[in-house]
Amino acid sequence: MRTIGIYFAKQRKKFQLIDSKKIPMKIFKFGGASIKDAEGFKNVSTIIKAHESESLLIVISAIGKTTNALESVIKHCYAKNNQVHHAFQTIVDDHNKIAKILFESGHLAIKNALETLYVELENCIQSSHLQKDYDALYDQIIVYGELMASTIMSHYLTTQSIKNQWIDARDYIITDQRYRDARIQWVETAELINTTLGPIAEKDLVITQGFIGRSVGGETTTLGREGSDYSAAIFGSLLGADSISIWKDVVGVMNADPNKFSNAELIKELSYNDAIELAYYGASVIHPKTIQPLKAKGIPLYVRSFIDVNEPGTKVSAQSKPITISCKIHKDNQILLEIRTRDFTFIAEDHLKQIFQLLSENNMRCNLMQNSAICFRCVLDSKENQHLALIQQLEFLGLDATCQSNLELISIYNTNSSFNKEEDIGNKDIVLQQNMGKSIHYLVRKPINTDLKN
Ligand code: ASP
Ligand code: MG
């Protein structure tokens, strides 16, 4: 076994050297769509069985739409609303229904394991009034989706004679205290993964959860919605795995959403740089944070179909050449914030510093920005009216802010001859347009009646 070092960013600026072993193993990640029902669990088990001769660590996220269902539980909880019990019971019923199909009725181990998780979740709900911080409460409750799914998976694999060890990802993924978008504490995480998880993974098949972590202070945290891909990359990079595979319900990374464009093409190979850019602009097949840890160690990432398992999918690696085809990415649920000085003075560096400080404190991601003499415009993800608090804070600083919602960001990455503005943008009302290197971004207004989310 060889010891290699990687450089990584700690607290954004400081770079440090981490030594880690290189374990000959693979990381597989299965998301909600792959385990949306009992059949899904059986399919995952078949895939794992086909790789039985290899060392594997399996990252599981929540079943189907459980995370959304848990989000409603949290909202009802916070609003001290009685519907919370019904929302909780629906989640329990959904999990029991799957377990009933997968396990024989006398299978006590899974019954007890799930019951323990339901009781813990119910306790969190009942004591939720003690938690004043919405985001902290959110993380405490939301992680049960991953805990329940991975528990069912581990027990099911055991019944299929696939020996495995279930581990709680929170014992290894150490983060800061930024609830719902926690930052990895790489030194602490690497230490735990190297010393404790490595030896387990070398001898046993490991089943764990994506998305969840624990702060240095011992509180449950999460890495941001859809963050399980990132978890797989963290485990993979710190274990020094040979590769990471994300198993999806699509054949791989496509150059457009196949549901919207019938001529969408599979991208067979992607460089790390292209993958980061595509994921950043909203190509939802890969979580944007996934690539960085893998690039740092040169670990290839495969995006593969759990339906057509013989399809090679997309390979993201250091050897891949830059893409030549043009890609269209739609990012829904966007808002445009326009910030102006009240006294007609320039929006200068000190204002921008304050604006970015507030965006960072409010955990808001700026997807695109533009500025003129007296106006700064930024495109943000619309999240639970978070922008209202931001607007108030900006006003407190003497800046006026207005917001337009019901927008969609269309990014054309790698514009070339195959890009046809007429076809892609048509007569949509363009609110903002920006060229950036080989990309063009259009912020467009959505037809009024199609936006149900805001
Ligand atoms: N279950 C979480 C979510 O739906 C994490 C993930 O799927 O990656 O956001
Ligand atoms: Mg999910």
Side-chain angles (χ1 to χ4, degrees):
M1 224 163 298
R2 169 165 80 87
T3 301
I4 55 171
I6 58 161
Y7 284 98
F8 64 94
K10 189 178 178 238
Q11 284 146 24
R12 298 218 179 117
K13 283 192 195 121
K14 201 171 145 202
F15 280 80
Q16 229 176 305
L17 187 69
I18 283 187
D19 281 329
S20 64
K21 279 181 174 176
K22 176 156 173 43
I23 302 181
M25 66 179 304
K26 290 182 176 163
I27 313 290
F28 283 0
K29 181 251 159 171
F30 294 96
S34 62
I35 47 165
K36 66 178 193 314
D37 50 24
E39 278 314 304
F41 277 83
K42 290 180 186 170
N43 184 42
V44 170
S45 162
T46 308
I47 294 174
I48 294 173
K49 209 161 197 141
H51 292 266
E52 220 169 10
S53 58
E54 296 168 283
S55 290
L56 294 179
L57 179 137
I58 314 285
V59 174
I60 301 284
S61 79
I63 291 174
K65 301 277 178 226
T66 305
T67 306
N68 292 353
L70 282 162
E71 282 190 341
S72 334
V73 166
I74 297 159
K75 277 186 194 136
H76 293 315
C77 243
Y78 206 68
K80 297 191 179 53
N81 166 340
N82 272 340
Q83 290 172 48
V84 69
H85 304 295
H86 178 253
F88 164 74
Q89 197 51 48
T90 308
I91 293 170
V92 168
D93 292 346
D94 287 349
H95 285 75
N96 282 345
K97 196 170 140 198
I98 289 177
K100 204 169 162 203
I101 301 172
L102 292 177
F103 302 93
E104 286 167 16
S105 56
H107 199 287
L108 275 182
I110 185 65
K111 224 169 161 232
N112 292 341
L114 282 177
E115 199 55 43
T116 305
L117 292 170
Y118 300 154
V119 170
E120 279 179 25
L121 174 55
E122 203 170 14
N123 287 344
C124 283
I125 294 169
Q126 263 155 18
S127 58
S128 60
H129 60 281
L130 301 172
Q131 182 56 267
K132 298 280 173 279
D133 180 345
Y134 183 85
D135 291 347
L137 175 69
Y138 179 102
D139 277 357
Q140 247 179 47
I141 291 180
I142 207 86
V143 293
Y144 280 91
E146 270 61 22
L147 294 172
M148 294 185 293
S150 59
T151 299
I152 297 178
M153 182 57 79
S154 167
H155 282 259
Y156 181 65
L157 292 177
T158 307
T159 65
Q160 300 306 297
S161 312
I162 303 174
K163 192 171 158 274
N164 68 90
Q165 190 157 335
W166 181 95
I167 62 146
D168 188 330
R170 292 172 295 181
D171 293 340
Y172 301 97
I173 304 287
I174 306 302
T175 71
D176 66 4
Q177 196 104 359
R178 207 189 283 228
Y179 298 112
R180 299 180 70 178
D181 190 21
R183 305 294 193 266
I184 302 301
Q185 301 297 295
W186 288 98
V187 176
E188 292 81 353
T189 305
E191 169 77 18
L192 285 166
I193 289 185
N194 262 314
T195 56
T196 323
L197 183 59
I200 300 174
E202 270 178 298
K203 60 181 186 28
D204 279 333
L205 167 70
V206 174
I207 306 295
T208 191
Q209 312 77 37
F211 177 57
I212 77 176
R214 188 173 279 135
S215 73
V216 184
E219 302 289 331
T220 291
T221 53
T222 57
L223 310 181
R225 284 298 310 260
E226 308 301 335
S228 298
D229 296 352
Y230 185 36
S231 303
I234 298 163
F235 282 119
S237 70
L238 294 176
L239 287 165
D242 293 335
S243 69
I244 315 285
S245 297
I246 298 179
W247 297 84
K248 308 278 303 184
D249 54 359
V250 288
V251 285
V253 181
M254 314 278 288
N255 74 330
D257 181 348
N259 297 320
K260 289 187 177 142
F261 297 91
S262 54
N263 58 353
E265 283 177 52
L266 172 71
I267 307 171
K268 291 197 178 111
E269 298 220 355
L270 263 180
S271 67
Y272 290 120
N273 284 359
D274 285 336
I276 282 188
E277 295 286 355
L278 290 177
Y280 180 83
Y281 288 122
S284 57
V285 269
I286 312 174
H287 187 275
K289 287 185 182 169
T290 311
I291 305 298
Q292 185 271 333
L294 301 180
K295 184 178 185 216
K297 271 203 172 178
I299 298 173
L301 168 74
Y302 296 90
V303 180
R304 300 184 59 183
S305 161
F306 61 76
I307 304 160
D308 298 319
V309 291
N310 295 324
E311 290 295 323
T314 301
K315 179 180 182 183
V316 181
S317 75
Q319 289 73 41
S320 308
K321 298 196 173 62
I323 46 171
T324 48
I325 52 171
S326 168
C327 304
K328 299 164 203 153
I329 309 153
H330 289 240
K331 207 168 163 56
D332 215 345
N333 236 3
Q334 301 293 294
I335 57 171
L336 173 68
L337 214 58
E338 265 193 26
I339 304 168
R340 291 169 193 276
T341 54
R342 257 178 223 155
D343 52 5
F344 227 63
T345 52
F346 292 145
I347 285 264
E349 282 70 17
D350 43 352
H351 292 121
L352 293 176
K353 190 172 142 196
Q354 288 173 321
I355 294 168
F356 281 108
Q357 179 75 25
L358 285 180
L359 286 170
S360 163
E361 282 169 14
N362 285 283
N363 228 346
M364 296 181 84
R365 201 185 121 185
C366 197
N367 297 323
L368 207 65
M369 54 194 123
Q370 244 182 17
N371 75 301
S372 68
I374 52 162
C375 176
F376 175 76
R377 304 164 107 197
C378 56
V379 180
L380 306 166
D381 291 332
S382 166
K383 270 203 252 162
E384 295 154 9
N385 287 332
Q386 253 184 351
H387 61 280
L388 298 179
L390 177 70
I391 290 175
Q392 267 187 357
Q393 292 157 359
L394 288 165
E395 279 173 359
F396 192 72
L397 293 175
L399 294 166
D400 280 337
T402 53
C403 174
Q404 294 184 50
S405 56
N406 200 28
L407 304 172
E408 178 186 20
L409 183 61
I410 302 176
S411 300
I412 315 294
Y413 182 69
N414 194 28
T415 46
N416 60 21
S417 52
S418 69
F419 166 58
N420 178 344
K421 187 178 170 200
E422 250 338 278
E423 187 188 300
D424 297 327
I425 310 300
N427 54 7
K428 290 193 172 112
D429 180 11
I430 300 173
V431 178
L432 184 153
Q433 177 176 336
Q434 193 174 77
N435 287 43
M436 169 92 182
K438 283 164 77 184
S439 314
I440 303 182
H441 306 278
Y442 298 95
L443 185 68
V444 300
R445 212 177 297 284
K446 289 174 62 187
I448 288 292
N449 55 0
T450 63
D451 183 35
L452 301 170
K453 287 186 183 159
N454 283 335

